[in-house]
């Protein structure tokens, strides 16, 4: 794999998985990039549900796990290996070990980008990834309100301390539009202001859209429907990501 990109926040419930899935699919349709998606949220994996994958993974002749191929991307999650209603009760070291296995024991093949959907927080899994693998960049996802940005600042500082470059921030759930009027339910432009204050790029803004939520529930991500008005937000995000990341590698 050429580049590993982490999608994090420090905060739960801000839409990291939604961004990770739709960004991955959008990237796969841009220049036919080869994309892998790793669900690193051991305790609350949601990628299988969002991609509509219920089958258990298979193993090839080399005893490597074969990743799922759907919607133009490869994916793997601990959620594919356990019953959906089972709780994983592991200490941090066991969770970190499981993530390493999902990196090393999965036959990812040739990838342009491996997108890693991180769990909330700044704990063992995040540190293990940053210390054991060559990470090319991180994307920070947040909703606009200050209660989310408190944890986002912690995540930004963590990435800085472990020397992982931050590609930029994504403002999710930016507004809800009704009768052609934007309603800023969680406050206005909190993430864009934070990006400016931290001298970081704002990669994109994703509004609250019913069809985004519905697509996550149905297992058919909105970005699959390339001509959808809503999918444009994720394709713009993907284009901005590629443009900004290219500056890091020059």
């Amino acid at each position: 794999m050429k580049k590993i990109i982490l999608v994090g926040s420090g905060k739960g419930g801000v839409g990291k998985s939604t961004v990770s899935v739709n960004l991955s699919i959008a990237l796969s349709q841009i220049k036919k990039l080869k994309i892998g998606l790793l669900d690193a949220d051991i305790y609350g994996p949601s990628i299988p549900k969002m991609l509509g994958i219920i089958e258990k993974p298979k193993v090839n002749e080399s005893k490597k796990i074969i990743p799922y191929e759907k919607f133009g991307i490869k994916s793997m999650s601990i959620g594919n290996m356990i019953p959906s209603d089972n709780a994983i009760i592991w200490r941090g070291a066991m969770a970190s070990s499981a993530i390493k296995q999902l990196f090393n024991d999965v036959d990812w093949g040739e990838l342009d980008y491996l997108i890693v959907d991180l769990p909330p927080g700044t704990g063992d899994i995040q540190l293990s990834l940053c210390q054991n693998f060559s990470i090319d960049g991180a994307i920070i996802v947040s909703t606009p309100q200050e209660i989310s940005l408190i944890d986002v600042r912690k995540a930004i500082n963590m990435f800085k301390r472990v020397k992982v470059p931050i590609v930029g921030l994504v403002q999710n759930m930016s507004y809800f539009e009704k009768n052609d009027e934007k309603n800023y339910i969680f406050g206005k432009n909190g993430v864009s202001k934070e990006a400016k204050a931290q001298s970081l790029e704002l990669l994109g803004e994703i509004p609250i859209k019913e069809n985004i939520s519905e697509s996550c529930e149905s297992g058919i991500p909105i970005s699959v429907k390339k001509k959808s008005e809503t999918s444009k937000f994720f394709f713009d995000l993907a284009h901005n990501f590629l443009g900004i990341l290219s500056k890091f590698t020059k």
Side-chain angles (χ1 to χ4, degrees):
M1 56 190 72
K2 295 179 181 177
K3 294 187 184 299
I4 300 173
I5 303 296
L6 307 180
V7 179
S9 173
K11 184 75 174 175
V14 297
K16 292 184 300 295
S17 297
T18 300
V19 170
S20 296
V21 166
N22 285 287
L23 172 63
S24 296
I25 293 172
L27 286 171
S28 75
Q29 297 186 48
I30 297 173
K31 302 178 182 178
K32 301 299 180 184
L33 293 172
K34 297 175 182 177
I35 305 296
L37 174 60
L38 173 59
D39 186 353
D41 194 343
I42 294 294
Y43 303 108
S46 54
I47 297 300
K49 173 67 175 177
M50 291 184 174
L51 293 177
I53 298 172
I54 58 174
E55 302 83 6
K56 299 298 180 188
K58 297 178 180 179
V59 178
N60 63 19
E61 295 177 355
S62 302
K63 305 299 182 184
K64 290 266 191 176
I65 301 170
I66 302 171
Y68 301 94
E69 294 193 45
K70 195 172 184 181
F71 305 126
I73 65 173
K74 295 180 179 180
S75 70
M76 185 52 62
S77 169
I78 196 74
N80 296 122
M81 303 176 190
I82 59 171
S84 60
D85 56 350
N86 275 22
I88 294 181
I89 308 172
W90 289 349
R91 294 189 184 278
M94 290 181 67
S96 297
S97 178
I99 291 299
K100 291 177 187 177
Q101 285 187 291
L102 290 176
F103 261 90
N104 297 321
D105 294 347
V106 173
D107 188 5
W108 290 105
E110 291 186 14
L111 294 177
D112 293 304
Y113 294 92
L114 178 66
I115 307 297
V116 183
D117 179 27
L118 293 177
T122 55
D124 288 340
I125 291 176
Q126 288 86 345
L127 289 175
S128 177
L129 286 171
C130 294
Q131 291 171 352
N132 290 283
F133 299 94
S134 179
I135 307 299
D136 296 280
I139 295 171
I140 309 290
V141 181
S142 181
T143 48
Q145 73 269 44
E146 180 63 21
I147 199 67
S148 292
L149 291 167
I150 289 171
D151 290 335
V152 163
R153 294 183 191 107
K154 296 173 184 175
I156 289 172
N157 287 328
M158 178 200 71
F159 286 126
K160 287 180 177 179
R161 287 186 66 179
V162 295
K163 295 180 169 53
V164 170
I166 298 172
V167 184
L169 276 62
V170 177
Q171 181 165 278
N172 195 28
M173 307 183 202
S174 290
Y175 57 85
F176 175 75
E177 194 165 2
K178 185 176 182 181
N179 300 325
D180 295 323
E181 182 180 350
K182 292 181 180 179
N183 298 277
Y184 296 93
I185 298 172
F186 298 119
K188 187 174 181 180
N189 298 329
V191 179
S192 58
K193 292 175 183 176
E194 187 66 29
K196 187 174 182 180
Q198 297 265 5
S199 298
L200 295 170
E201 298 282 353
L202 181 68
L203 296 175
E205 297 184 52
I206 313 296
I208 299 171
K209 291 275 190 178
E210 187 176 3
N211 55 358
I212 294 178
S213 176
E214 289 174 348
S215 69
C216 292
E217 294 286 327
S218 70
I220 304 175
I222 194 69
S223 54
V224 171
K225 303 170 184 177
K226 191 173 181 180
K227 295 183 180 179
S228 160
E229 180 184 341
T230 304
S231 68
K232 181 181 181 297
F233 293 102
F234 293 105
F235 279 89
D236 287 346
L237 169 60
H239 280 291
N240 290 339
F241 162 76
L242 290 174
I244 294 167
L245 187 65
S246 66
K247 298 176 185 177
F248 285 44
T249 55
K250 285 183 179 179

